[in-house]
Amino acid sequence: MLKKILINLFPKNFKNENVKINKLAYVTNTNFSGNNYVDRFCRIRNSSFGSYSYIGYNSDINNVQIGNYCSISSDVKIGLNSHPIHLFSTSPIFYSDTNPFGKKINKISYDDSPKITVIKNDVWIGTNVIIMEGISIGNGSIIAAGSVVTKDIGEYEIVGGIPAKIIKKRFDKETIKKLSDSKWWEKDAKELINSQFHL
């Protein structure tokens, strides 16, 4: 019985030598650009990973578009479903046929699929971060551990807290413009190292 359960957790029909998905991760309907890593006990659905992006232990994401060179830590939650607050009840029994009770009795029309969350390039997301659905995270930004992100984050911003607020910019305006204009994240890591790219 245990063997059958574990087999159901394994990623299916995915073959790419440059992508490593732990055997204890659940991945479905997700695309990988290459040189990616998914740690154990992750749950990843309806998403895409850019090159050299990885995600740590026990993270859960749904409907997330991740750019290149992103570092996502452990126990991160991104783009999970929300409940409607304008109806008489927030219980999914009244608006979703995929409710945990398995009952198909709802008569209310409500789209409970999460809005797409966009994480651009070179983003570092710390441990235990929660990012609400439909958020956009700018290139080069950093989200401090334990933060709850409820609003869009701009390029090269460092944010933290509940709700997350800007702490500071990583670089001055001139450096940010230089990095943004270079679009260095579109190049392969080996090419960047050989070119000795720096600020």
Side-chain angles (χ1 to χ4, degrees):
M1 182 67 167
L2 179 60
K3 185 177 181 183
K4 186 176 181 183
I5 292 169
L6 291 176
I7 288 170
N8 290 335
L9 291 173
F10 292 177
K12 302 194 175 47
N13 302 323
F14 190 80
K15 295 178 182 175
N16 186 325
E17 292 179 11
N18 295 321
V19 176
K20 294 179 182 175
I21 300 176
N22 188 280
K23 291 188 290 186
L24 297 177
Y26 173 81
V27 179
T28 186
N29 196 31
T30 295
N31 296 315
F32 295 89
S33 296
N35 297 300
N36 303 111
Y37 175 73
V38 175
D39 207 343
R40 63 202 184 284
F41 305 123
C42 285
R43 293 164 300 283
I44 300 171
R45 299 158 319 281
N46 313 311
S47 298
S48 64
F49 278 71
S51 299
Y52 297 99
S53 290
Y54 71 89
I55 188 163
Y57 170 89
N58 198 39
S59 291
D60 191 349
I61 69 172
N62 188 16
N63 207 21
V64 182
Q65 179 183 316
I66 300 166
N68 298 329
Y69 298 95
C70 289
S71 305
I72 302 173
S73 189
S74 301
D75 296 301
V76 171
K77 311 290 185 273
I78 307 173
L80 305 182
N81 294 53
S82 60
H83 293 240
I85 59 172
H86 65 286
L87 302 177
F88 76 96
S89 172
T90 60
S91 173
I93 191 71
F94 298 110
Y95 65 84
S96 176
D97 284 341
T98 58
N99 60 68
F101 314 104
K103 306 268 185 201
K104 296 184 188 264
I105 61 171
N106 66 296
K107 302 290 183 193
I108 297 169
S109 178
Y110 176 76
D111 182 6
D112 63 340
S113 57
K115 298 175 187 137
I116 191 161
T117 302
V118 177
I119 297 169
K120 295 195 177 170
N121 305 284
D122 190 39
V123 173
W124 173 20
I125 300 173
T127 303
N128 290 314
V129 166
I130 297 172
I131 300 174
M132 306 307 290
E133 64 173 328
I135 300 291
S136 178
I137 310 293
N139 292 317
S141 60
I142 297 172
I143 304 172
S147 300
V148 176
V149 180
T150 60
K151 294 181 181 176
D152 291 353
I153 296 173
E155 287 193 328
Y156 293 94
E157 289 181 352
I158 300 174
V159 303
I162 303 174
K165 294 181 181 175
I166 186 166
I167 298 168
K168 66 176 186 175
K169 290 275 196 176
R170 282 180 62 191
F171 305 110
D172 58 47
K173 286 183 182 178
E174 185 180 329
T175 303
I176 291 172
K177 184 175 185 330
K178 182 180 176 183
L179 288 165
S180 297
D181 291 348
S182 75
K183 295 187 178 177
W184 64 266
W185 46 80
E186 294 179 359
K187 298 179 180 172
D188 188 82
K190 290 179 183 175
E191 185 183 350
L192 290 165
I193 290 166
N194 291 336
S195 69
Q196 298 179 346
F197 179 83
H198 55 83
L199 297 177

